[in-house]
Amino acid sequence: MPLPLAELRYIFSDYDLATLRLPQLHEYRFHLTETSMRDTKAAAGKVRTALAGLPLSRGQNWVDLRGVYGLSDDGNTINTIGRDFIHYIDTHHPSDFAKEFWLYRALSQASNPITINAHFNRVKNLHILLNSIPHAKGKTIFNNSPTSNKILSLSEHLIPFPKALKKFFSLPNEKIEEFALLTDNEIDTLIASLGPTEQGLDPVLRRIKGYKSRSIERRIYFPASMMILPTVMRVELTGIGPLRIYYPYSYFFTYDQFINYLNQVGIYNVHNY
């Protein structure tokens, strides 16, 4: 299979590749768990360690607990969200998706400026992504298959370059998958094929290559959480359905997926009008 060098040049044709700047990862990721702690299970373990009065192994853990997970406000102390998070886990024994949904919702309602800003950036970046995906491709991109999760991970790296993101999703489906399924060795070969005026793509490709968790299904958790949140809030307010997939998420998830996510965070009376 030939490397998609021509397609790569097409995707970035609106940018000056000699001056391309790649922002820090935290500026453009939309999901929660790409940190030194990796997932909510590890985050919960750090909270339990701190609540037990034991020292955390690295200072970075407190940085992540505060700025990424919103479980610490100042200094080296666990906040109310962190304590409530542990209570939720111990009481409900939720799925991994339900744990992250709980955290996303808590972050959206938080008063800590750091937490508010982190949540705002995730929502903004997700909207940039959603606005770039043609509606006809939405359910394929978000079907939670190994390939779709790789596509989401790769496309997250294009969020700082919205014109490139739109061109990426304008490619035929098979070309989109080719990009997402590139191996590390193939990415190295692609980097070596760049011309002298295209070196701005080097750090982009290296970050994609270094994204070791790029196939993990957690990439889907934030979009799914944002999809079901309006319905969860409506059901909790009224006590009944109907259960609706709200725009624009109706273009990206099937009804069965929608119900599956809802049933992980609660049990609802499903009916249609």
Side-chain angles (χ1 to χ4, degrees):
M1 181 181 71
L3 291 175
L5 182 60
E7 288 81 6
L8 181 66
R9 288 168 174 160
Y10 162 74
I11 291 169
F12 281 91
S13 57
D14 290 321
Y15 293 90
D16 179 357
L17 300 186
T19 60
L20 203 64
R21 186 189 75 85
L22 183 62
Q24 294 294 312
L25 184 60
H26 69 82
E27 294 182 34
Y28 61 85
R29 65 181 174 211
F30 62 78
H31 69 296
L32 182 69
T33 55
E34 185 58 31
T35 73
S36 62
M37 294 190 290
R38 296 297 179 189
D39 58 29
T40 53
K41 180 179 180 180
K46 302 300 181 185
V47 172
R48 293 184 192 277
T49 297
L51 291 178
L54 301 174
L56 296 182
S57 57
R58 292 182 295 112
Q60 181 65 31
N61 287 321
W62 282 110
V63 174
D64 290 338
L65 284 172
R66 181 173 63 254
V68 177
Y69 289 87
L71 303 177
S72 173
D73 292 335
D74 299 300
N76 298 341
T77 58
I78 301 300
N79 61 16
T80 301
I81 293 178
R83 295 171 184 272
D84 289 346
F85 181 51
I86 297 300
H87 176 75
Y88 169 71
I89 292 173
D90 290 344
T91 304
H92 297 278
H93 307 289
S95 67
D96 288 342
F97 169 74
K99 292 176 188 176
E100 289 209 23
F101 173 81
W102 189 98
L103 272 179
Y104 286 130
R105 184 175 186 181
L107 296 180
S108 71
Q109 300 170 338
S111 58
N112 184 325
I114 296 176
T115 301
I116 292 172
N117 184 63
H119 180 77
F120 171 79
N121 283 337
R122 291 188 187 106
V123 173
K124 177 191 67 177
N125 292 331
L126 178 61
H127 284 175
I128 291 173
L129 176 67
L130 297 184
N131 288 333
S132 302
I133 300 175
H135 291 164
K137 295 182 178 180
K139 289 183 172 63
T140 300
I141 302 300
F142 287 94
N143 67 14
N144 205 19
S145 67
T147 298
S148 71
N149 285 313
K150 287 179 180 291
I151 292 172
L152 283 174
S153 180
L154 187 152
S155 62
E156 191 172 35
H157 289 281
L158 299 180
I159 285 174
F161 316 107
K163 293 178 181 178
L165 193 60
K166 285 184 178 293
K167 287 192 172 182
F168 173 68
F169 284 114
S170 74
L171 293 172
N173 288 340
E174 61 270 18
K175 288 297 182 181
I176 293 175
E177 291 185 5
E178 281 181 18
F179 268 106
L181 297 174
L182 287 173
T183 66
D184 285 357
N185 287 338
E186 288 172 331
I187 292 175
D188 282 337
T189 303
L190 199 58
I191 291 171
S193 302
L194 297 175
T197 62
E198 299 172 325
Q199 294 307 304
L201 287 175
D202 186 314
V204 178
L205 292 172
R206 290 188 185 279
R207 181 162 284 177
I208 291 170
K209 173 188 171 183
Y211 222 40
K212 297 304 182 184
S213 63
R214 61 179 178 268
S215 64
I216 301 298
E217 68 173 359
R218 288 194 303 270
R219 198 69 72 235
I220 201 76
Y221 287 176
F222 186 65
S225 294
M226 294 300 98
M227 175 193 72
I228 71 172
L229 182 55
T231 297
V232 170
M233 295 177 69
R234 183 182 186 279
V235 171
E236 289 178 348
L237 180 65
T238 64
I240 59 173
L243 301 183
R244 295 179 49 224
I245 308 178
Y246 289 83
Y247 173 87
Y249 304 109
S250 54
Y251 292 109
F252 304 111
F253 294 90
T254 67
Y255 193 74
D256 286 344
Q257 287 174 315
F258 175 67
I259 297 302
N260 177 54
Y261 288 125
L262 277 175
N263 284 337
Q264 292 183 58
V265 301
I267 300 175
Y268 300 101
N269 179 21
V270 180
H271 59 276
N272 294 309
Y273 288 131

